[in-house]
Amino acid sequence: MSCGFDCTLQMGSRAEPASAMKAAKELIIKESVRLCSVAMGGRARAIVLTGSMSRDEATLKKNGSGWRVLGDATFLVVADRSLAIALPELQQRIEWSLFRQAIRCKVVIIVCMTASLRKMKPSIYAFELRQRGRVVWGDERVLGLIRSFSVSDIPKEDGWWLLCNRMIEQLEEAAAINGGFDGTALRYRTAKLYLAMAGCYLLLTGQYEPSYQQRAARMARLAESETSLASPIPLRRFSNLVSQCTELKLHGDMQCASAVFPDWSDAIADAEKVWRWALGEMTGTSPCPSLSASFRKLASRQSFILRAKGWLRAAYVSPSSLPRNGLRWARLALSSSPRYLVYSAGSRLLFGKQAQTTLTPEQLGGIVGRLPLPPGTQFPLTWGIAARTVAHNFHLFVDSTRS
């Protein structure tokens, strides 16, 4: 279900007392835990609330007599043995139960084995899960199974991946509203894009923090200091934008003219600067050369084993695609992974749209033609079809995987 908001609240005001919003969040948690535990039948070891809601950073908006969650509520079900659970049906059951109680909230349930927690390698996800995850049912010590590590242990590439993922969200939202950029949900995702820029920048400069508020505070300190850190965006402006978007993310929308809050075009232009800077830092080619050359260099740094894992997962999640695409995937595996092919196509489409570059069907075909699953025989190929194709490949082959 779509989540969005309108620019209606005053900067310093809140739609409802904090206690009412807190009660809505607790109801989401209580109902999710109740239905999860019933579905698991006592076979789970713990249920962990993750993401922005676990950090008390979820955004709720008053929706008539009820509430709308902008984003989702994500729960990690930890089990000692494999569980055969119909997750889509469980998620829908929880969402419907909340809807009947006047709360619109997308719910995501992820099942994880305890062995997987023990084997988790340093990453943004593992760092935030260990630092800010909240056990809401079961073994309260379960997150201690994740080995302790520092920010410096997280691969720098993780921050760039985070930004790329948010860019795909921008593509998906723009395609959903037929290429227009005045949708209400787009404004919320624009704020999340700036927060991803901050996360990417702070990780690559060794300053990463596990929550939006901590990252905004870190950016403010850097902007006020005499730091010599390089920044793709003037640091003071960058910090101000991140603070504003953090306020919006935490408390919902505010009354703010377009001259104050960045519009979509400016946000994508800033994202491209951070994206290119990060790519250059990762590949050691700063300033970043052409996108094609950068992606070739980035892909060359990836081991064949890691690329192969990505393609094996592609075959696992889409076995029906193998007869038609098997040989093609084998050729693509020699030079890149599904993740980088999706990121490459997505960045070209997004940056081209921001620059108001009119792409011909042939050019669009060249951009999306190397995706694991290119578009079918829909002609003429439009930007919207190309964007939806990138988003489909992202959700199928990239989302929720490390390969």
Side-chain angles (χ1 to χ4, degrees):
M1 62 184 64
S2 176
C3 294
F5 55 84
D6 303 312
C7 196
T8 55
L9 304 182
Q10 295 297 324
M11 173 74 79
S13 67
R14 301 291 178 259
E16 287 289 323
S19 58
M21 188 178 294
K22 181 178 180 181
K25 293 178 182 178
E26 290 303 319
L27 178 58
I28 293 169
I29 297 168
K30 180 180 179 181
E31 194 65 4
S32 299
V33 167
R34 182 182 73 83
L35 291 173
C36 268
S37 58
V38 169
M40 302 305 165
R43 293 169 292 167
R45 176 167 176 172
I47 301 174
V48 183
L49 178 66
T50 72
S52 59
M53 195 165 287
S54 71
R55 305 189 302 263
D56 199 25
E57 294 183 328
T59 312
L60 274 71
K61 175 181 171 59
K62 195 68 176 140
N63 185 40
S65 60
W67 293 92
R68 175 185 296 177
V69 177
L70 309 181
D72 57 48
T74 302
F75 296 86
L76 185 72
V77 175
V78 183
D80 294 325
R81 294 181 299 277
S82 179
L83 296 177
I85 299 294
L87 293 180
E89 289 80 359
L90 175 58
Q91 290 167 171
Q92 290 175 5
R93 197 177 309 132
I94 297 170
E95 289 173 3
W96 177 241
S97 178
L98 292 172
F99 182 75
R100 287 184 296 179
Q101 299 177 72
I103 296 177
R104 293 180 61 184
C105 177
K106 177 177 173 58
V107 175
V108 177
I109 308 295
I110 301 169
V111 176
C112 175
M113 301 298 102
T114 51
S116 298
L117 290 183
R118 294 189 180 97
K119 296 176 182 177
M120 273 191 176
K121 296 180 179 179
S123 66
I124 287 177
Y125 175 74
F127 183 71
E128 294 187 357
L129 178 61
R130 193 180 194 282
Q131 294 287 328
R132 303 302 296 268
R134 175 182 164 191
V135 178
V136 291
W137 181 89
D139 184 359
E140 296 183 353
R141 300 171 297 176
V142 71
L143 294 180
L145 296 175
I146 305 172
R147 70 181 182 88
S148 180
F149 58 88
S150 66
V151 168
S152 61
D153 296 319
I154 302 175
K156 303 301 183 186
E157 205 168 64
D158 245 39
W160 187 74
W161 286 9
L162 171 66
L163 180 53
C164 287
N165 294 347
R166 292 291 179 255
M167 286 164 47
I168 300 297
E169 286 185 359
Q170 294 287 323
L171 270 182
E172 188 171 23
E173 185 65 32
I177 55 179
N178 299 318
F181 300 108
D182 57 352
T184 54
L186 190 62
R187 182 178 171 79
Y188 173 67
R189 289 189 175 182
T190 297
K192 289 184 69 177
L193 183 62
Y194 272 106
L195 299 179
M197 291 182 223
C200 177
Y201 175 74
L202 290 174
L203 184 66
L204 265 73
T205 55
Q207 308 284 324
Y208 190 78
E209 299 284 357
S211 76
Y212 294 132
Q213 296 174 86
Q214 289 173 305
R215 292 197 282 273
R218 175 72 72 171
M219 291 289 295
R221 289 196 296 272
L222 291 175
E224 293 296 329
S225 69
E226 298 298 326
T227 179
S228 58
L229 287 177
S231 176
I233 303 173
L235 204 47
R236 190 174 296 275
R237 183 173 75 87
F238 197 1
S239 173
N240 289 339
L241 289 166
V242 170
S243 294
Q244 187 178 359
C245 290
T246 300
E247 171 75 8
L248 186 149
K249 179 67 179 71
L250 297 182
H251 304 300
D253 205 10
M254 62 197 74
Q255 182 72 34
C256 46
S258 59
V260 177
F261 191 83
D263 62 25
W264 183 87
S265 181
D266 290 338
I268 300 303
D270 283 341
E272 182 173 3
K273 292 174 186 175
V274 176
W275 185 92
R276 287 181 178 273
W277 171 82
L279 190 54
E281 290 291 308
M282 288 158 44
T283 59
T285 54
S286 188
C288 178
S290 72
L291 297 187
S292 297
S294 295
F295 271 106
R296 284 196 298 271
K297 183 158 188 176
L298 190 61
S300 70
R301 297 169 68 244
Q302 198 175 34
S303 70
F304 179 77
I305 293 177
L306 195 57
R307 289 202 304 273
K309 285 175 64 177
W311 290 106
L312 285 173
R313 183 179 183 277
Y316 174 76
V317 299
S318 186
S320 61
S321 302
L322 271 178
R324 184 173 65 258
N325 292 287
L327 290 177
R328 181 171 167 274
W329 285 3
R331 290 194 298 270
L332 290 172
L334 296 175
S335 60
S336 193
S337 65
R339 177 181 296 275
Y340 288 151
L341 292 175
V342 170
Y343 287 168
S344 176
S347 61
R348 285 171 168 79
L349 285 177
L350 192 63
F351 298 153
K353 191 69 173 179
Q354 183 275 331
Q356 298 184 339
T357 301
T358 301
L359 298 170
T360 66
E362 291 73 21
Q363 290 172 319
L364 290 169
I367 290 174
V368 298
R370 280 173 56 81
L371 287 170
L373 292 181
T377 57
Q378 294 172 292
F379 292 103
L381 183 59
T382 65
W383 187 91
I385 292 173
R388 286 190 288 273
T389 302
V390 170
H392 175 68
N393 277 263
F394 171 76
H395 291 303
L396 194 59
F397 301 122
V398 178
D399 205 7
S400 302
T401 180
R402 296 289 304 166
S403 55

